[in-house]
Amino acid sequence: HALLPYVHGTLGYRFNQRFEGLIDVEGASMSGDTMLDAVALVNYWMGYQWMTSVGYRYYGRDIDTGKLSNEVAYNLLYLAISYTW
């Protein structure tokens, strides 16, 4: 079993009552094995319970353990409509 150092951080800012921005980053790295997941998004609150989000996400992983070799990278743009209760 391997134990990887892991870091996670979130930074958000509310511009006004309707708009807010968020950056979220997490990752791990040790001996050449790496993982990074980063998100940047803007939320627009349409009302008390409805929200629209527009954002970008990057996910990358590069692992080579001798028994397993895996390299993955995603670049995603997204639009979401959310309802909270």
Side-chain angles (χ1 to χ4, degrees):
H1 298 286
L3 179 65
L4 295 176
Y6 177 80
V7 175
H8 178 242
T10 301
L11 179 64
Y13 183 77
R14 182 163 283 216
F15 300 103
N16 57 39
Q17 209 168 13
R18 294 202 178 252
F19 281 99
E20 62 189 13
L22 178 75
I23 296 172
D24 185 79
V25 178
E26 60 185 281
S29 180
M30 185 172 172
S31 302
D33 295 333
T34 59
M35 185 280 293
L36 176 64
D37 188 0
V39 176
L41 61 91
V42 174
N43 295 327
Y44 173 71
W45 288 91
M46 298 179 287
Y48 179 70
Q49 294 175 301
W50 287 94
M51 178 180 67
T52 301
S53 300
V54 176
Y56 168 78
R57 172 176 231 135
Y58 171 81
Y59 176 81
R61 174 180 70 214
D62 187 3
I63 298 172
D64 188 2
T65 65
K67 293 182 180 180
L68 169 70
S69 182
N70 186 277
E71 185 176 345
V72 176
Y74 297 106
N75 290 288
L76 303 168
L77 296 174
Y78 64 89
L79 170 66
I81 298 174
S82 306
Y83 178 80
T84 58
W85 62 89

